[in-house]
Structures are given as structure tokens and as C-alpha cells.
Amino acid sequence: MLQEKQDSSSLLTRRELLTQATAGVVLVSASSYLGHAQTLLSSSSPATRTRDSFDFGWKFLKGDIPGAHRPEFSDAHWRELDLPHDWSIEGAFGEWEPSSGPGAYLPTGLGWYRKRFRLPQSYRDRAVVLEFDGVYQNSEVWINGHYLGLRPYGYIPFAYELTPYLDFDKDNVLAVRVDNSKQTNCRWYSGSGIYRHTWLLATNPLHIAYWGTFVTFPRISKESATIEVKTTVANNLKISAQCSLITAIVDKDDKIVQTKQTAQEISANDKCEFVQQIVIDSPHLWSPASPYLYTVRSTVRRSEHIVDEYVTPIGIREAVFDANRGFVLNGEHIKLNGVCIHHEAGSVGAAVPERVWERRFEVLREMGCNAIRTSHNPYAAEFLDMCDRMGFLVMAEAFDEWKISKNQIHNGYSLYFDEWYKRDLTDFLHRDRNHPSIVLWSAGNEIGDQSAPNGTETLRKLLDVFHAEDPTRPVTAGCDRIASDPSSNTAKPEFLALLDIVGYNYVDRWHDRAQKYYSIDREAFPQRRFIGTESSGMGTIRGDYRSLFPDEGPASRRRFLFEGNIDINVEQQWQFVRTYDYVAGDFMWTGIDYLGESSWPMKSSFAGVIDTCGFKKDGFYFYQSQWTQAPMLHLFPHWNWKGKEGQIIPITCYTNCDTVELFLNGKSLGVKGYEFPRSGMEGTYGNFPPRAQALRTTSDLHLSWDVPYQAGTLKAIGNKDGKIANTIEISTTGDPAALSLSVDRKTLIADRRDVAHIMVEIRDSQNRMVPVADNEVVFEIQGEGKLIGVDNGDPASHDAYKINRRKAFNGLCLAIVQTTSKSGKITITATSTALRSDSLTIETKAAERT
């Protein structure tokens, strides 16, 4: 029996192809059937489907070895590891690596994976499918020497049926060859290997098909919701089968709300699509503020036996993009406060533990972000599951290339598009179309085809697939050539007209659009629906304020790399987007720093407002000041400027308070304030609301003071509605004296997957973080854990991620620790020459069994 079995209720996130068929529907009222359905759904027999993790116990060798696909091949000296695995992130940075800037200057190449496994005799009469959530790229798979197939696109999930080739009397041998040697093939860091999860699925011959449910909501109101469930049931028997499909809507407390039963005979080796409509009263509607999830529990019954059970999480919501109102969710206007992100996560590369994403989502939510664009490829299933649970709205993107390749990318998806686009896109939609978080599909990003003679026809073919497989959601594309020069490079009007929603990448890039933004096209196309698919953000290098002194430092390092530069263009564009409802929202580039798309000595982009460690930059607080309501203040830069006494240091404040008064060493430097959006008179002439009566000193979205440097303490006091709402201080610190460790969670699950983030601060003798410290920190791990990555957020650092030491970057660094399979304790100790060390202990517990 497999040793890696997981709770199937939390892992069943796949959906499947729906075929057109007819089924006789038997309507059963809730009152007469509810109790019977509860009995059926709780009487699961061991003969129903099983879905087991296939991640543990693999062997790996980097390189291309002839004959490695053969069962008898000896892999005795290969490295043992668990999946997910990214071999590129384990390598050394090199300026002349073939991956170059797009691939973060990390090694790529070829690799082989092998795994031996035995199956129980009870699987002999079952269909066995091996699922891959993502392999980068050009993967080929063999089972017991039999070739199963090739999949070029590294971001797409896929599966192979193993049934005809399995041996139940001895070990089965699986071999996977991964070829990421053809560089460059992606504009950002992709990773290399089987970098997402794998699963072994076993079903009876009569079963719900792979990705076999599609749930839509024809009618939604606060009073009731009509849920339409299309379920494809496959009969792989050699005879016809009479069966019943029982579909139950289950609330978050695991209580059945409503059910329906449908009977149907399915011919031998055939499929049937069941179409059922179920009405529930007073539904809990899904939204970012309340991401309530129901479950569709599908049960297939033949004679007196349950032969299959399948679970589909759903959220009931009505998402509308309106030409005048913008984005409307459940009847309420919501502005999409969005970020673009990439799929990797710094020191762990593309093999991202789920908790790493959860922590990043927590930081984004604190910033006020409510929407994420999955730039520019399909993401892992667990990523979207988390968006469902945490209430993020998603623009799910399929491709970065169609037929036309991009600069620097010589071996990208354009080589495979004609042969693979329909299958890849269909698989993408079938897996993900039940996610309530996804409100918009994107067919592509900055594709060259937008201005090509045949680009409109290519878009039409893609839209045919989108609309056929999911008629409930609109489709956009990130277009960066609207009104561009030269005219031959401009996006074709007929191309834009085909899109359900026109996506603008950098709407302010060309001509007078730098000031007028969307208004030009709004006047020309009043029925067009607008969204900012990508725009400039407040990205900088965390804690680096050399731009304040442009005459100092290397001339080759451009000013905009460093914090302290206020991007007025970003502020002005946000003011426009916030003011005009017809712009559904905006996805700024980027929420989080990412590897690749860089130029040596940089290995990563610094465009994010959060760095690769998950540490906040100053730009984070700009968005928090605009996207959240709780009173907040943020001052920068730091106040450690020894040797610059008397020199003017510009102090900037991001806030949503009405006014802020700044003090240096107890002396007031003045009160300043701004108002956005501005308020006019109310009720009677001359009557302004309180906020409009507060002091206004700027029309910008930040406050600033020019302060002659003097060591000591800066203090800011924010007032809102006439009361002190927030106070912050920044002090000149002493020299580094000690390390201070903190952890995001002190109790983990002992499952070889869960992780903790250990943040290291360099502090002075008064326990204040030293914002310019760069001391090297050495980590020691004892107990039931292992170190899987170290980082400091410095985009120019070439230190390896998989060692036990890291220099602090502007006072901070990070270690990520992963559990083993044993319960116990993990002790992390950090040391640094001449500094006081620190340690902390984490407890690990066995996962609760259900």
C-alpha cells in the first residue's frame, strides 16, 4: 500500500473535460431525500477512488543518461529526493550561463527522475492515472519501459493512464526525462524539473471523469441561488451500466444543504454528461471580504454500491464587468486593487511550499491588495485553492507567446503553439474553471501577434476555446501596443475589438495618454470594457537610498534602482483609476520581486513592493495608504546618516491620515496633509465634510519635509477626524550588537512539506534594528527539520540559496526551515562574528487524520 496517502477531501482540486450528452434527470425534493442522501454520502466503501501523493521517494540525476528509461537500469548512485524539486535553484549564479538574464543566470540543462513503487492487488481492476501538476519543461515519461508521451509546456498540468502497463507482482519503475537545455525559453526564471506535485489516482471502471465537474450559477440573489452542475461519468466497462449520480451541496460546516439524484444508463466504453440544477435558499455569497466556500459532493452509485465519490469546492458569486461601472461583484462595485506576480519564490525557486505562498498572501492582504494576475502562465492548483480560501480575485493567464517569439527568447512557446495551444488551453480551463477566485481569463501577455496580420485570427481561435469550455467568464489580453509607434507596430483595432475586455499594459506609455490615460479610448469606444492588466508600480531595492545622493556611488547604477524616489506618475495614474469607475482596476508590476528578467550583476527584478524574502519595501506602504482604511503612517528613509550632519535629507510619509506633524528631537517641523479623493460641499452651500476642512499642502499622495540631518529621533503624529490616530518613530541607531530571530509560526505539521520563515534582524545595544547592517549570519538546525533556503532580498547578491549562511542586507535576512515526517522540535540557532547570537524552537506535530 502507498505510504504517502493524503486526505482526499483537501486534495481533490482537479476538473475534467465535459462531453455533450443527454441524461434523464430525476427531481427529488430536499425534504424527502435529504436524510437518504446523507446516508448514501456517508456510506463510502473502500472501492471508491483514491488519490495519493506521489511526491516522496524519487531518485534524480542531472544530465542525460542513455537507457535511463529502462526498468533494469541501475540508479543505485543517484540522489534521493522528494518532489517538488527545482534543480536550477540549487546551482551557482554565473554571468555566462545559457539562461542569462531571463533565467537569473542559473544553470538549466537536462535531468532524469526515477521512482520504484508497488501497487496493492486491489488495484488490479481499477484505472490508475499518474498526474503531474507541472514539469519544466519538455518532459517525457515511461512506465516499465513503455513510453507514455511528451509535454513541452512546462506550466501546464497533465496526466497519463498507467493501467495497461502496470505489474502487480513486482516493482513498477517510472522514469521521467526533463529537458530544459534549449535556452532561452522564458522571459523570467522558470526553474527546472518536476517542480510541482505529483499524484496517483485510482478509480473504478465506472467513475467521474478526470476534471469531471463544471459548476455554474445561472441565477444568484441574496434570497436564492441556482447551481448548475455538469458531471461527466465515464464507463470503462465492457458492458453498459445503469447508475445514479447523487449531487449534494455541502456548507463549510459539512452540513448538506440540498441534493439531487439522476439515473442514467451509460453504454460500454462511453461517457455521459449529467446536467443537474439545484436551488439553495439564502446562499452565503463568496467575496474578498467573506470568501465562503461550499462543496459539491458527487457520488456515483451502481446497484447497491457506491463506486465513486468526487469533491469540488465552489464559491457562489456573481462577477460582472460593466462598461460604465467597471467591476461589480454580487451587485457591489469593487475596484480591483491588483498586483502581477511570478510563480517562483526566491530561495526555494519554482518548488514553492504552500506556506510560502500563504505568508506572501498575508502580506499582500495587509497592503490592501484584493486581486492577483498570474503572470504569465498557469499556476499550481494549490495556489488557486488558496486564492479561493483567502478571498483574492484572480486574472488567470495562459501564455506569454503565441505564434510570434519575443526578443531574447529563442526557444519559447511559439515553437509549440500551433501543435499544442488547443490541448494546453483546454487542460488549463478544465482544471481551473470551478475556482470562484478566477473572475477573468487572459489569453496572453504582450504578444507580438496583437499587431501581426494574422494575429486577429489567432486570437479568434483562442477565444473559441475559451468560450466553448467556459462561457461564464470574459477573456482579456495584456496589450502593450495600443496607440504605439511606429504605426506598423500598433495593436490592430480588429484585434482589440474581439476581446471581451481590453487589457492595457502601461496605458500611459504613448503620446498624450501619459496624461489622459484611458479617457481617449473611452470617448472613442464608449461600450468598451477597460482594465489595467499591467502598469508601473513603486518597485525599488529595499532599504537602498543612494538615489538621495545622486552624485555618489557608481554612475552605472541607475537612479530608479533605489528607494527614496517617489514615482509621481504612479500616484497620478492611481488617482485616475480610483476616480473613474469604468476602469475595472489595475494590476501593478509587481507585487513581489522575482528571479530573472535582469541584467548582470542583478539576478532578479526589483520591481516588487515586497522583496524575495517577503520583506516590505517603502512602496508597500504607498499602496496600503490608498487601499486600506485603518489609520497608518510610514516614514522613510532611515535616520542613520553619519558624516552627513547638516545635509538636507528628504523625508517622505505615506499615510491615509488627514494630517501629519513631523518632529525631530522634539522640535516640530510642521504639519502637512492631503485629501484624496477630494470632497465637495454637502447639504448646503459652503458646508464641507470634516476631512475637506483639514490642512492641504499638496495634491500628491505623499507628504514630504526637507530635514537637515541631525542624529536623534524623527517622530510623526497622524491625525484623522480631528484625533490622533497613529504615531511612529525612526531613530539613529548604534552599531550592530546582536541578532534577533522571529518566526511566522511556532507549531508546524510534521509532513515533510510544512515550513517556517525565520527572520533575522541585526540590532544595536538598545534592541533597535540597524538599517544599514550587512553582517554575515550562520544558521544551525537541530531536530526534526532541515534548512531549505536562505535569502536577504539583495537582487545583486550571487551567494547560493542552499547553504547555511547569508549576509544581512540592510539589516535583514531570512531562513526557511522544513519539517521531517517525525513529530518533535526544531531548534534554529543564528550566529555572527562579534554579535550576540540568538535561537528559537519550533514544535512539529503529526497531521490530524480525518
Side-chain angles (χ1 to χ4, degrees):
M1 194 67 182
L2 294 175
Q3 300 301 306
E4 305 148 335
K5 187 170 183 180
Q6 305 291 313
D7 174 18
S8 61
S9 66
S10 65
L11 297 175
L12 290 171
T13 58
R14 303 295 191 267
R15 286 80 168 149
E16 164 44 77
L17 168 66
L18 301 175
T19 58
Q20 294 298 317
T22 58
V25 178
V26 179
L27 300 179
V28 184
S29 69
S31 58
S32 64
Y33 190 72
L34 194 56
H36 181 53
Q38 182 70 62
T39 302
L40 294 178
L41 294 171
S42 63
S43 62
S44 175
S45 72
T48 58
R49 73 173 53 210
T50 57
R51 188 166 181 266
D52 301 299
S53 170
F54 209 60
D55 284 349
F56 303 119
W58 287 77
K59 290 197 170 187
F60 170 73
L61 182 71
K62 190 171 184 295
D64 199 10
I65 308 297
H69 67 286
R70 295 173 180 163
E72 65 274 14
F73 182 89
S74 175
D75 55 21
H77 300 293
W78 287 23
R79 173 185 169 192
E80 296 182 0
L81 53 73
D82 297 336
L83 304 180
H85 172 242
D86 171 9
W87 79 68
S88 288
I89 204 66
E90 299 171 343
F93 296 100
E95 184 176 2
W96 306 113
E97 284 288 347
S99 64
S100 64
Y105 301 96
L106 283 167
T108 51
L110 296 94
W112 280 87
Y113 297 84
R114 285 168 58 92
K115 178 170 178 173
R116 297 178 181 272
F117 64 100
R118 286 203 173 195
L119 292 176
Q121 294 295 323
S122 60
Y123 277 41
R124 279 188 178 274
D125 298 323
R126 310 186 81 187
V128 180
V129 172
L130 177 62
E131 304 177 34
F132 293 89
D133 283 355
V135 183
Y136 204 91
Q137 67 167 343
N138 283 305
S139 64
E140 296 179 275
V141 183
W142 291 261
I143 180 68
N144 296 330
H146 297 276
Y147 186 68
L148 297 177
L150 162 74
R151 206 63 187 248
Y153 195 27
Y155 296 113
I156 204 72
F158 58 94
Y160 294 113
E161 184 164 357
L162 308 183
T163 311
Y165 314 112
L166 291 173
D167 195 317
F168 292 90
D169 299 315
K170 62 180 182 180
D171 284 353
N172 294 277
V173 180
L174 186 74
V176 182
R177 181 180 184 268
V178 184
D179 184 358
N180 194 20
S181 65
K182 298 176 179 63
Q183 295 294 318
T184 52
N185 56 53
C186 189
R187 292 189 303 114
W188 56 90
Y189 176 79
S190 63
S192 301
I194 309 178
Y195 69 101
R196 292 180 183 166
H197 293 301
T198 55
W199 311 94
L200 197 67
L201 172 67
T203 61
N204 286 313
L206 183 65
H207 63 276
I208 295 169
Y210 196 62
W211 295 326
T213 57
F214 182 28
V215 185
T216 59
F217 309 96
R219 290 174 294 279
I220 297 176
S221 69
K222 293 181 180 180
E223 292 72 34
S224 68
T226 300
I227 305 171
E228 183 172 277
V229 185
K230 295 181 179 179
T231 309
T232 301
V233 177
N235 177 21
N236 293 345
L237 295 167
K238 296 180 181 179
I239 58 172
S240 63
Q242 181 71 33
C243 66
S244 295
L245 173 68
I246 305 160
T247 299
I249 308 300
V250 183
D251 69 15
K252 69 175 184 179
D253 298 319
D254 205 34
K255 296 179 180 178
I256 294 177
V257 178
Q258 188 59 278
T259 62
K260 184 157 289 185
Q261 181 179 17
T262 306
Q264 178 70 44
E265 183 174 359
I266 306 175
S267 301
N269 296 310
D270 199 1
K271 293 181 179 180
C272 176
E273 182 184 72
F274 292 72
V275 180
Q276 299 169 312
Q277 286 199 350
I278 303 173
V279 178
I280 66 171
D281 296 328
S282 303
H284 296 278
L285 301 184
W286 186 96
S287 69
S290 179
Y292 190 99
L293 293 176
Y294 291 89
T295 298
V296 175
R297 193 175 295 169
S298 307
T299 303
V300 179
R301 190 177 181 92
R302 185 185 182 206
S303 300
E304 298 301 317
H305 302 287
I306 295 173
V307 295
D308 198 14
E309 288 182 305
Y310 188 68
V311 174
T312 307
I314 63 167
I316 301 173
R317 89 290 184 273
E318 181 185 49
V320 175
F321 287 86
D322 184 83
N324 296 314
R325 298 181 65 196
F327 181 66
V328 180
L329 184 68
N330 303 325
E332 177 186 353
H333 174 263
I334 293 178
K335 189 69 71 174
L336 295 174
N337 299 332
V339 299
C340 303
I341 58 176
H342 276 308
H343 73 293
E344 52 75 30
S347 64
V348 296
V352 186
E354 189 170 347
R355 171 58 192 166
V356 172
W357 277 122
E358 185 177 46
R359 174 175 172 262
R360 290 178 166 213
F361 281 8
E362 289 167 356
V363 178
L364 288 172
R365 186 165 57 186
E366 182 185 349
M367 186 174 73
C369 171
N370 63 14
I372 293 171
R373 179 190 183 204
T374 58
S375 319
H376 304 290
N377 50 263
Y379 271 45
E382 63 269 20
F383 179 98
L384 295 170
D385 291 341
M386 194 175 299
C387 290
D388 293 343
R389 295 195 303 269
M390 296 184 71
F392 285 95
L393 303 160
V394 175
M395 179 199 303
E397 198 150 60
F399 306 116
D400 193 53
E401 284 185 357
W402 297 350
K403 288 176 174 287
I404 297 176
S405 63
K406 292 188 172 179
N407 293 337
Q408 293 185 284
I409 307 304
H410 312 298
N411 296 285
Y413 190 71
S414 61
L415 298 178
Y416 313 108
F417 180 86
D418 284 336
E419 180 180 356
W420 286 95
Y421 83 87
K422 189 170 185 178
R423 183 172 178 182
D424 286 341
L425 183 55
T426 300
D427 286 350
F428 167 57
L429 295 170
H430 285 176
R431 188 197 68 172
D432 294 342
R433 61 189 174 182
N434 287 326
H435 285 284
S437 57
I438 297 178
V439 295
L440 180 64
W441 301 114
S442 173
N445 171 67
E446 298 181 355
I447 54 264
D449 310 65
Q450 64 188 291
S451 54
N454 62 348
T456 301
E457 184 56 33
T458 301
L459 173 60
R460 191 187 310 276
K461 291 178 180 178
L462 289 165
L463 291 176
D464 286 345
V465 179
F466 274 108
H467 293 155
E469 305 305 331
D470 179 15
T472 70
R473 291 178 178 88
V475 182
T476 189
C479 301
D480 64 334
R481 301 183 184 180
I482 299 175
S484 65
D485 287 337
S487 58
S488 60
N489 197 46
T490 300
K492 301 288 186 185
E494 58 270 25
F495 182 97
L496 301 177
L498 267 186
L499 292 168
D500 300 325
I501 299 173
V502 179
Y504 288 72
N505 279 24
Y506 306 98
V507 65
D508 60 336
R509 183 173 284 175
W510 291 98
H511 306 291
D512 55 348
R513 293 167 187 258
Q515 185 70 44
K516 297 180 179 178
Y517 306 110
Y518 300 93
S519 63
I520 298 171
D521 288 348
R522 168 67 169 176
E523 182 177 356
F525 308 100
Q527 296 308 310
R528 176 175 289 183
R529 295 183 286 179
F530 295 82
I531 191 167
T533 39
E534 188 171 317
S535 63
S536 298
M538 289 284 191
T540 50
I541 297 177
R542 176 183 56 78
D544 193 330
Y545 298 103
R546 280 174 283 177
S547 64
L548 301 178
F549 312 101
D551 297 330
E552 300 179 14
S556 61
R557 304 194 73 169
R558 294 176 292 172
R559 245 187 110 167
F560 69 82
L561 294 180
F562 313 117
E563 298 214 86
N565 287 311
I566 307 303
D567 196 330
I568 298 299
N569 294 331
V570 172
E571 293 189 3
Q572 291 176 346
Q573 184 170 330
W574 166 246
Q575 287 177 313
F576 187 98
V577 171
R578 168 68 177 81
T579 300
Y580 294 98
D581 288 349
Y582 71 83
V583 184
D586 187 78
F587 291 83
M588 63 88 164
W589 192 266
T590 58
I592 307 171
D593 285 353
Y594 58 95
L595 294 172
E597 203 167 12
S598 55
S599 297
W600 191 268
M602 300 292 181
K603 68 177 186 298
S604 62
S605 167
F606 42 82
V609 294
I610 300 165
D611 72 9
T612 53
C613 296
F615 299 151
K616 304 165 188 174
K617 305 184 193 180
D618 291 330
F620 168 96
Y621 297 97
F622 165 73
Y623 291 99
Q624 188 181 54
S625 74
Q626 301 303 308
W627 290 353
T628 66
Q629 298 300 316
M632 56 78 61
L633 285 171
H634 177 71
L635 287 182
F636 63 96
H638 59 72
W639 205 235
N640 278 34
W641 299 105
K642 185 177 181 180
K644 298 187 184 298
E645 286 76 11
Q647 190 167 339
I648 296 296
I649 307 291
I651 299 298
T652 301
C653 177
Y654 291 136
T655 184
N656 54 16
C657 294
D658 298 335
T659 61
V660 176
E661 185 171 11
L662 184 67
F663 297 83
L664 174 59
N665 297 330
K667 179 181 178 181
S668 176
L669 302 179
V671 179
K672 298 197 176 186
Y674 76 93
E675 183 190 11
F676 177 75
R678 291 175 60 184
S679 304
M681 293 182 289
E682 296 178 355
T684 60
Y685 186 86
N687 180 49
F688 288 88
R691 180 168 172 78
Q693 298 176 40
L695 178 67
R696 300 176 187 161
T697 59
T698 180
S699 60
D700 296 329
L701 300 182
H702 69 275
L703 307 176
S704 60
W705 294 260
D706 288 336
V707 182
Y709 177 64
Q710 177 186 359
T713 299
L714 287 169
K715 180 178 181 180
I717 299 176
N719 278 268
K720 197 175 185 71
D721 300 326
K723 299 178 181 178
I724 293 178
N726 211 329
T727 302
I728 59 170
E729 293 185 356
I730 299 177
S731 296
T732 307
T733 71
D735 293 331
L739 303 179
S740 177
L741 301 186
S742 59
V743 64
D744 58 333
R745 296 184 303 158
K746 287 198 171 183
T747 302
L748 305 181
I749 303 300
D751 61 356
R752 295 160 72 174
R753 288 177 174 162
D754 204 5
V755 300
H757 297 78
I758 314 299
M759 185 173 77
V760 183
E761 292 187 14
I762 311 296
R763 296 190 176 182
D764 69 2
S765 59
Q766 297 184 48
N767 204 33
R768 299 173 299 191
M769 196 271 281
V770 182
V772 294
D774 62 355
N775 307 70
E776 183 178 71
V777 179
V778 179
F779 298 95
E780 181 184 356
I781 312 299
Q782 294 179 322
E784 297 303 328
K786 63 179 181 178
L787 187 65
I788 65 169
V790 292
D791 195 2
N792 62 10
D794 181 1
S797 172
H798 301 144
D799 293 336
Y801 284 129
K802 303 299 182 181
I803 57 177
N804 72 332
R805 60 190 63 226
R806 197 70 166 187
K807 288 185 69 175
F809 180 62
N810 294 322
L812 302 173
C813 63
L814 179 78
I816 301 179
V817 175
Q818 189 170 57
T819 63
T820 68
S821 59
K822 296 181 180 179
S823 300
K825 296 183 183 298
I826 307 172
T827 298
I828 301 98
T829 301
T831 59
S832 184
T833 303
L835 302 186
R836 187 174 69 248
S837 63
D838 197 11
S839 64
L840 56 79
T841 299
I842 302 168
E843 185 178 3
T844 70
K845 295 183 178 181
E848 294 183 3
R849 297 186 180 275
T850 58

